[in-house]
């Protein structure tokens, strides 16, 4: 079925912008070119969008479309070639205090010489959180990722999936305003993955955190998101930005069985296929 035949999918825009009072994070004309020995690589061409407070936005796009690059620029770990990232109206020039990031490479994100509980508690210690509060937050976060039984283990004693859950616990314990996650569940088994998806949703509800979640799993993007941004293939722009109009209370079985869920995942799938074939949003202007 061609995308135009899918009924009433609310495409908000190609990169939605919001009034300042509702905006937590803004990406404005972001471009990133890597200078390499073999020449310049334009990872991101031109991205503009806003994230509203408490939104859970999923970001999907072909491999190599610059998703990780975008996250690193938002996290203040990489300087854009041009354009800006604004958090609460202030330009991001280094890692912001109220942001936590869970990267794909979980193995490299934990300190091997620190026990699990100390890894999770480290950002809290650095932020000057008192010991008693720290202990409580760490215990709660480990409990919520199903790792309450291994606080004294070292990361290298755990499986890949467990290590990634430690990284997720660390981000949750920190209670950030913005949580960036880059394909965080790629290495965990299916059942744990479903549990962690629900955990991310409940953390967003409980803490009012704003989440930007990169995934290559289309079903996951629709199940988790209040919104899905689809990136084009390189040179990367926003191909589509759509509202996930599913009931706010999600359930792994019931939500995924809704006809609307199927329509939305179908639509996202079609868009990614178009992106992979090199379709550009501007191509549509020549229709009719
Ligand atoms: P994605 O996460 O969507 O798969 P990336 O952001 O990892 O995409 O990469 C986007 C493009 O930028 C790719 O062509 C990749 O090879 C290139 N790239 C990523 N990191 C670097 C780097 N440090 N130096 C040079 N090129 C890079
Ligand atoms: Mg990536």
């Amino acid at each position: 079925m061609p995308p135009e035949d899918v009924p009433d999918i609310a495409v908000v825009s190609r990169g939605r912008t919001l009034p300042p009072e509702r905006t937590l994070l803004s990406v404005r004309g972001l471009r990133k070119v890597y200078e390499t020995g073999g020449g310049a690589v334009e990872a991101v061409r031109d991205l503009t969008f806003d994230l509203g407070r408490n939104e859970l936005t999923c970001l999907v796009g072909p491999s190599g479309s610059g998703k990780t690059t975008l996250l690193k620029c938002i996290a203040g770990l990489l300087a854009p070639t041009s354009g800006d990232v604004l958090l609460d109206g202030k330009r991001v020039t280094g890692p912001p205090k109220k942001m936590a990031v869970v990267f794909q490479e979980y193995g490299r994100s934990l300190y091997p010489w620190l026990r699990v509980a100390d890894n999770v508690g480290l950002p809290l210690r650095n932020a000057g959180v008192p010991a008693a509060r720290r202990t409580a937050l760490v215990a709660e976060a480990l409990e919520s990722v199903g790792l309450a039984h291994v606080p004294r283990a070292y990361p290298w004693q755990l499986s890949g999936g467990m290590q990634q859950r430690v990284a997720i616990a660390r981000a949750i314990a920190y209670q950030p305003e913005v949580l960036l996650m880059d394909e965080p569940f790629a290495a965990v088994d299916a059942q744990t993955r479903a549990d962690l998806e629900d955990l991310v949703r409940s953390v967003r509800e409980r803490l009012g955190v704003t989440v930007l979640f990169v995934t290559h799993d289309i079903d996951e993007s629709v199940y988790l998101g209040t919104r899905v941004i689809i990136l084009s293939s390189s040179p990367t722009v926003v191909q589509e930005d759509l509202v996930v109009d599913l009931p706010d209370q999600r359930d792994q079985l019931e939500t995924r069985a809704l006809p609307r869920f199927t329509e939305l995942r179908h639509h996202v799938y079609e868009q990614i296929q178009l992106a992979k074939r090199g379709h550009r949003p501007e191509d549509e202007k020549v229709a009719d």
Side-chain angles (χ1 to χ4, degrees):
M1 185 163 51
E4 56 271 26
D5 289 343
V6 177
D8 299 317
I9 303 284
V11 176
V12 276
S13 67
R14 302 245 151 70
R16 187 192 55 178
T17 53
L18 289 168
E21 64 276 13
R22 287 184 51 208
T23 305
L24 181 58
L25 194 119
S26 297
V27 174
R28 288 283 174 276
L30 188 91
R31 177 165 189 256
K32 179 65 189 177
V33 180
Y34 291 104
E35 299 296 341
T36 69
V41 178
E42 187 183 40
V44 173
R45 164 71 56 93
D46 183 6
L47 293 176
T48 293
F49 60 86
D50 287 337
L51 299 186
R53 290 173 200 283
N54 203 21
E55 273 191 312
L56 200 171
T57 304
C58 289
L59 187 75
V60 296
S63 165
S65 60
K67 302 180 292 296
T68 298
T69 300
L70 168 64
L71 246 61
K72 285 183 177 166
C73 289
I74 292 176
L77 298 168
L78 199 59
T81 304
S82 56
D84 280 314
V85 176
L86 305 167
L87 178 61
D88 259 332
K90 286 194 214 77
R91 195 154 166 250
V92 170
T93 52
K97 240 181 162 177
K98 279 280 129 201
M99 213 182 260
V101 193
V102 178
F103 283 114
Q104 238 166 331
E105 316 98 28
Y106 49 86
R108 280 197 279 149
S109 79
L110 302 174
Y111 296 107
W113 61 86
L114 290 182
R115 296 179 192 275
V116 163
D118 296 329
N119 263 289
V120 174
L122 190 63
L124 296 169
R125 179 189 279 267
N126 292 343
V129 176
R133 174 86 178 126
R134 218 160 62 212
T135 306
L137 286 169
V138 168
E140 195 188 317
L142 284 176
E143 172 80 43
S144 66
V145 299
L147 289 180
H149 58 297
V150 289
R152 296 188 55 75
Y154 288 97
W156 42 267
Q157 295 175 311
L158 307 176
S159 70
M162 287 167 91
Q163 289 179 32
Q164 184 63 320
R165 283 190 275 156
V166 176
I168 293 166
R170 183 176 55 189
I172 291 170
Y174 186 67
Q175 304 200 290
E177 254 178 68
V178 181
L179 177 57
L180 306 176
M181 304 185 92
D182 192 358
E183 304 195 24
F185 306 153
V188 301
D189 64 88
Q191 182 55 54
T192 306
R193 184 177 189 135
D195 292 343
L196 291 176
E197 286 169 356
D198 290 329
L199 174 68
V200 168
R201 286 196 56 84
S202 83
V203 163
R204 170 198 160 234
E205 272 159 38
R206 263 191 301 126
L207 302 180
V209 63
T210 301
V211 186
L212 184 60
F213 188 102
V214 173
T215 176
H216 60 252
D217 184 323
I218 294 163
D219 288 53
E220 183 167 81
S221 74
V222 174
Y223 179 71
L224 276 181
T226 54
R227 173 181 171 203
V228 177
I229 296 177
I230 301 158
L231 297 184
S232 74
S233 55
S234 186
T236 305
V237 296
V238 174
Q239 169 147 326
E240 208 171 78
D241 185 343
L242 61 96
V243 176
V244 178
D245 52 359
L246 294 167
D248 215 29
Q249 283 303 314
R250 311 259 165 108
D251 175 273
Q252 290 286 353
L253 292 177
E254 279 169 30
T255 305
R256 289 173 191 266
L258 294 173
R260 189 58 171 169
F261 183 87
T262 310
E263 282 167 14
L264 286 161
R265 72 178 292 281
H266 192 115
H267 184 84
V268 174
Y269 181 84
E270 291 266 351
Q271 286 297 322
I272 292 178
Q273 291 306 310
L274 283 172
K276 279 188 186 160
R277 290 201 297 270
H279 168 93
R280 314 285 305 164
E282 57 267 26
D283 294 346
E284 285 162 30
K285 293 197 188 109
V286 290
D288 295 323

